[in-house]
Each structure stands twice: as structure tokens, then as C-alpha cells.
Amino acid sequence: MSDEKVAVVTGASRGIGRAIALELAKTGAAIVINYNGSREKACEVKEKIESEGGKAFIMSCNVADAKACETFFGKVIRELGRVDILVNNAGITRDGLLMRMSEEDFDQVLDVNLKGTFHCIRQVSRQMIKQKGGRIINLSSVVGIAGNAGQANYGASKAGVIGLTKSAAKELASRNITVNAIAPGFIDTDMTEGLSGKVKEKIISQIPFGRLGKPEDVAKAAAFLASDGAGYITGQVLCVDGGMV
């Protein structure tokens, strides 16, 4: 492998993860497209990157599984030699009112969104320390900052990601590794597509910009935090939310 940068993006087969993978590919990084559900969609992202002259690899891994993460990163490092950028984007929702929320729905969301981020940071930080540098970008949410009715589990997981980001940033700064979070607002993806017109209208009324964000808006922020220009920024939470929070 040449000395080009290697970026791992979890949950990169669609939505925000897909947009981040495509944006980082434009910067010349080789992209590892991690997916857990749809191989077909991951292959589409790989094809798009390659059609634009980039380099991409697809590897499946359920980030909630600590052992699977160890195997996954072991494979990435064996095959590509390094990891310069990690974007922890994989996430799920299991919305419901607090009184009716099952323990399983609470645990599943925390296992993927929060523990998954922890597993990936833990695995990649060893390699980045060896390399004497790296960029870690974690996807939080405005819901982790401001809360949202019906999303107690999601809000808790995304608030946890912020605490994890700030602590990891302090631990890893001396090794030239930055750790930052992006907190998207309401972004036009598969996750928001299922919302009724009435719910969408209510959401849009809370956004000073008066519209939903695009996955590309988040991807541009991630590309900046992954760049050499962001080398003195760590432990921060960047809201990409049209002024909502």
C-alpha cells in the first residue's frame, strides 16, 4: 500500500455514512466502507467511488460486537497497513415513549450507537498511536444535546457519544490524535423519509434555516475535521443543524 490515507467509515452503505465516504474519497483517501445490513448498497458506494477514480474496499462488521470489531480492524490493518481516519457513523433508532420502551429497545440503541463507537475507538487508537497520529470523528446528534420526545434511548446514546468524544480527546491528544463529534440536526435521509408530512412541517418550523439538511452538509464537516487543517481542533462538538440548537 502506498502512503495515501486510509479512512474507515462505519455504516457507510447509505445516508450520512455514504455521503461521508464519497466526500473523503474526493480528498484522495482509500475508503473502507463498513456495513452490517446491505452488502448490495455497500457495493454501490464502492462502485461510485471507483467510477470517480477513487479506491474503496467493503468489509462487514456489526460494531456492537466487540469481537467482530477486533477482527474487522485486524483485517483492515493487515490488508491496508494503516488507519488514518475513523468515522463512527453506524447508528440505529428504536423510537418510542419512555413509559412503553422495552429494555431491549433501550439496550440495542446504546449497544450500536454508543458501545459501537467505543469498540471502534478502542481498536483504532492502538494503531493510530503506533502511527503517531490520526483523526477520529464520532457522529452524535442534536438530540444528544437538546433531547427529543420519543427518543430517550437515542438521546442517551448520542449524549454518551459526546462524553466519550471529550474523554478520548483528552487521552489521545498527546499522541497527535484528534477526536471530535458532529451533531447533525434533521437531515434528509432514509431515517427521516418515513416521517409524515405533518411531523416534517413541525420539525422544519424549529429550524431557523427553514429546511432539512442534506447528507452532504454533514460530509463536508467530516472532511474538514479529517483534514490537516483541523490538526489543532479536538474534543469539540460541531452542530450541523441549520441553527436548530
Side-chain angles (χ1 to χ4, degrees):
M1 197 79 199
S2 68
D3 56 1
E4 71 192 336
K5 286 183 175 170
V6 173
V8 174
V9 184
T10 69
S13 64
R14 57 195 180 139
I16 289 171
R18 177 182 185 275
I20 291 171
L22 296 175
E23 192 64 37
L24 289 176
K26 286 180 196 166
T27 70
I31 310 298
V32 177
I33 300 157
N34 158 262
Y35 71 98
N36 187 38
S38 172
R39 184 177 173 84
E40 194 185 331
K41 281 194 159 61
C43 287
E44 281 170 24
V45 180
K46 181 180 192 285
E47 280 163 25
K48 182 154 176 61
I49 289 170
E50 288 175 343
S51 74
E52 291 169 7
K55 215 178 256 188
F57 308 84
I58 54 174
M59 296 185 196
S60 78
C61 172
N62 173 9
V63 296
D65 181 337
K67 196 77 196 144
C69 282
E70 191 180 336
T71 305
F72 168 69
F73 282 101
K75 188 179 179 193
V76 172
I77 291 155
R78 246 190 347 270
E79 293 187 10
L80 302 180
R82 57 189 300 118
V83 180
D84 301 280
I85 300 157
L86 167 64
V87 181
N88 284 305
N89 165 75
I92 61 166
T93 54
R94 295 282 184 274
D95 296 351
L97 294 174
L98 193 54
M99 288 183 293
R100 297 196 199 124
M101 187 176 286
S102 69
E103 189 178 354
E104 190 188 359
D105 280 350
F106 189 86
D107 287 349
Q108 271 190 336
V109 170
L110 264 83
D111 282 349
V112 175
N113 299 5
L114 180 55
K115 274 183 86 176
T117 300
F118 160 70
H119 293 323
C120 292
I121 292 174
R122 191 170 59 151
Q123 291 302 326
V124 92
S125 56
R126 292 170 186 157
Q127 180 62 25
M128 287 183 173
I129 287 167
K130 273 188 207 164
Q131 291 166 200
K132 300 184 169 60
R135 299 272 187 273
I136 297 171
I137 299 152
N138 302 321
L139 270 288
S140 178
S141 167
V142 293
V143 177
I145 298 168
N148 195 28
Q151 290 194 304
N153 49 2
Y154 187 76
S157 73
K158 293 301 190 177
V161 166
I162 291 173
L164 176 58
T165 297
K166 288 177 178 287
S167 298
K170 290 197 167 172
E171 276 190 38
L172 298 170
S174 65
R175 308 306 185 105
N176 194 32
I177 299 165
T178 66
V179 190
N180 292 290
I182 297 174
F186 285 92
I187 307 294
D188 203 358
T189 63
D190 293 355
M191 270 191 185
T192 53
E193 221 168 67
L195 300 173
S196 69
K198 205 173 175 186
V199 171
K200 266 192 188 170
E201 269 173 44
K202 194 183 173 204
I203 288 165
I204 288 167
S205 72
Q206 297 165 8
I207 304 169
F209 256 79
R211 64 170 175 85
L212 296 179
K214 299 187 187 80
E216 292 72 24
D217 295 325
V218 182
K220 300 271 185 205
F224 167 66
L225 290 173
S227 73
D228 293 342
Y232 197 58
I233 299 170
T234 198
Q236 300 306 304
V237 183
L238 178 56
C239 291
V240 181
D241 66 353
M244 197 174 165
V245 172

